[in-house]
Amino acid sequence: MKIPTFRPLLIAGLAITVAGCSSSAPAVVSTPIENIDTMPLKVTDLTETELKGWGGADLVSDTIPGMSVQKAYSEIIKNTKGKKVIVAVIDSGVDIEHEDLDGVIWTNEDEIPGNNKDDDKNGYVDDVHGWNFLGDAVKENMEYVRIYKKLKPKYNGIPASAVKPENKEEFDLYMSAKAEYEKEYNEALGLKNQYEGILQQLKMAHDAVSAKLGKEDYTLEELQAMKAETEEMKQYKGFLFQVMSNVEGNIPDAIAQLNEAIDYFSGRLDSHFNLELDGRAIVGDDVNDINDTNYGNNDVTGPTPDKEDIKHGTHVAGIIAAERNNNKGINGVAHNVEIMPIRAVPDGDEYDKDIALAIRYAVDNGASIINTSFGKYFSTHPEWVIDAIQYAEKNDVLIVNAAGNEGLDLDQKRVYPNDQTPENPREIADNVLTVGALNYTYGSNMIASFSNYGKSNVDVFAPGTQIWSTTPNNEYEFMQGTSMAAPAVTGVAAVIRSLYPKLSARQVKKVIMDGGLSSNATVVLGGEPSNTKNFGQLSTSGKMANMYNALILADKLSR
């Protein structure tokens, strides 16, 4: 499933003055950023401009825990172009006509557009800009719902004592999926009903107060000054005062937010948890046959006219490589990049088959980095994805993976995909870089409240809260999640592979991890003040990704 969610400086060491071994690399004369715990905390709110670009900010000059992207371009990269790098975005699809992306979309030069032939013999007809493994499918169940539906006729009502030994593993999977379905379904239904009740009360109170004040867009001060003669009006006033004191914006904004939340949970009930939904029927393949590959189409923007279903993938693509310095929208982290859109993540949980084939498609068609901003906690064919990850490793392709947004310790809870499991801490491959999300507030709250973590299963942290990027139809929005943190690191990896093409995927991973910023801060996890841990214990590197430092290390390693 796409992973969304509702100073003084002590510098140690000598300056590194070296020239890269390749002609594309800039000469680096820079000193790494170190000892960030001496930095003062930023006490003022971010301006709108700062918030929109905080992921690229520098902790030294801005007191914002960004990745020092602007600093890297101004002091290290400058006008150096490097080698073109192809980055595959396996996601919900990408708006390839977006004003800030149309110049960075990969084109398969070996394919003749529109002739209905597989010109390059790669198994995909007219795959000019990538491939859509979902065809016209959009809505899908969660994986545990699909498992529950499939096994329910076999095990419903059967006690554990009656299950044959050879079926115990399957029965346990059924019971686990059933419990997850019931928990998540009831939670979504309860929140939908709760928000609907709040919305009804809010509308009643708002209509009454608006009529009395003669305006809908009233301020908190105007509400306070309003005289409430009746008991009912006093209740309305008190309720609205409480709402306006706890949400940003006015009551119409609060109503809009409630409607958005209701739509979200209604959508989940209608699709993610709908036991009658067969979202895959329209695709027409056998999801349990990895050799059944003749499905999907070349429409990487998906089937919906408003392109709403590809918002996630478009946002991810923009973070990585939105055209820099084109006087439009935003600057992506990486320059000289081509985005290869691969549509394989529906509104619901992805299929293992699609992900495995998508990874192989990316590798076979020239991608050197793959961004995977999705994940799930149940998997029916994990071996297919593991094989694909190892295939990517053999072909020197780096996979940058989102850690997930449930505030969980992934050393205790397995997520798919990942390069290791809680039961077996040995990595299946050394080409996967798993990324947790940072908040823009440096200090105890710098870990995003939603971000998963794990000393063994998360490698590094990067900006993932309130990230401004491209959305369909030439628009831009804030989104957040580890889905946004992963492409930030993907962008850093793309710059490294562009400027230092002799470095392997494993070396690029190491450079990003080793080049991050360390902190001894005690941080809050899951938004719970009582749940704290040292930042260095939350990932393998114990660091925040930093492009400036990573380039210095890449230069040193490439000599």
Side-chain angles (χ1 to χ4, degrees), residues 88-143:
V89 174
I90 300 177
D91 214 291
S92 62
V94 174
D95 183 359
I96 62 176
E97 297 177 346
H98 193 287
E99 63 179 9
D100 226 358
L101 293 172
D102 54 3
V104 298
I105 299 299
W106 172 75
T107 297
N108 184 355
E109 301 291 350
D110 296 326
E111 197 75 16
I112 300 172
N115 69 350
N116 201 32
K117 293 181 180 179
D118 181 14
D119 301 292
D120 59 0
K121 309 300 181 185
N122 69 349
Y124 300 91
V125 175
D126 284 343
D127 57 323
V128 178
H129 296 299
W131 195 251
N132 172 12
F133 284 96
L134 301 179
D136 290 337
V138 176
K139 303 291 185 181
E140 253 301 344
N141 286 154
M142 306 303 287
E143 185 72 87

Side-chain angles (χ1 to χ4, degrees), residues 136 266 386 438 508:
D136 290 337
S266 295
I386 289 172
L438 290 174
V508 173

